[in-house]
Amino acid sequence: MSSVVFVAPFFLDTTLRFVEAVADLPGVRTGLVSQDPAERLPPGLKNKLAAHFRIADGLDPQQIADAVRGLARQIGPPHRLIGALEQLQVPLGEVRDALGLEGMGAEVAKNFRDKARMKTVLQRAVVPCARHQRVTSDAEAWSFVDSAGYPVVLKPTSGAGAKSTFRVADAGEIREAQRARLANGVTGETETFLLHHLETDLDHLIGGEIARDQDLGGRQQLLLRHQLADVGVEETRPHDHQNHVE
């Protein structure tokens, strides 16, 4: 039997669905690390868990590492350390690196958590990508806009779910967005809003087959079909119903 540690700082409904899906896997002992107390777990899910370890900060890699060690004494050495929250991915990578666990390490996680770094990695791999620049001041933002033109998108380098993200179409909007962001101490990234160019490049990335849908959803579905075909899987359709760790 395999032991898996799932880190879920808070017991949000969506998060608990992921936890339960893991706990329902056959041959898996699931240990849960959280900031919320075990008493807040639904009774049915609580009974499926092999162990629980509460920590004060569910995003702190050192506390997560200590929790994993504590759970290992209860359910055995973990085979995997997982979590669904995007903000957890770098801390989890640091813990995997520190404890020698399989899975995505911290440096790989940073390649998608830091949006400016992500685009640099994609460009080096010759993947079509919007022009971008990390900005920490008004001067840097204006310099980029003078070079790239409007419209542009401002977003946090480690953003998730489009939070603190602004699409700006003129100088007034960029001033307002920058004031709001810098007042909160947010380091931003500015990228050109090149939706048309990105769509054209995507047409060439999906086997030369062009999605006729006007929205990106159709293109994503087409790309998925090609990815599934590459690994020999047939598409199925629904029925009608940052810290140091020791």
Side-chain angles (χ1 to χ4, degrees), residues 41-135:
L41 284 167
L45 174 56
K46 185 177 180 181
N47 293 333
K48 296 178 181 180
L49 299 175
H52 173 261
F53 200 108
R54 189 181 182 188
I55 57 180
D57 184 349
L59 296 174
D60 177 45
Q62 185 61 64
Q63 294 186 43
I64 294 172
D66 292 339
V68 171
R69 294 188 183 100
L71 288 173
R73 291 190 287 270
Q74 301 178 56
I75 64 175
H79 295 80
R80 293 292 187 274
L81 173 65
I82 59 178
L85 190 65
E86 182 174 345
Q87 291 86 344
L88 262 176
Q89 301 314 308
V90 172
L92 291 181
E94 293 176 354
V95 176
R96 293 187 192 104
D97 291 341
L99 302 184
L101 299 175
E102 289 189 40
M104 182 170 56
E107 291 305 305
V108 175
K110 291 174 184 176
N111 285 343
F112 74 87
R113 278 295 290 149
D114 185 324
K115 306 310 180 187
R117 173 169 168 165
M118 176 184 70
K119 289 181 173 57
T120 298
V121 170
L122 292 174
Q123 287 176 329
R124 287 175 179 169
V126 200
V127 175
C129 187
R131 290 178 57 188
H132 68 282
Q133 178 181 321
R134 186 187 303 270
V135 297

Side-chain angles (χ1 to χ4, degrees), residues 224-234:
L224 177 60
R225 289 202 296 271
H226 278 271
Q227 291 173 333
L228 294 175
D230 286 342
V231 295
V233 177
E234 293 185 0

Side-chain angles (χ1 to χ4, degrees), residues 115-116 119 132-133 135 153-155 157 181 188-191:
K115 306 310 180 187
K119 289 181 173 57
H132 68 282
Q133 178 181 321
V135 297
V153 173
L154 279 74
K155 60 184 177 182
T157 54
R181 297 169 58 74
E189 174 198 358
T190 306
E191 64 174 10

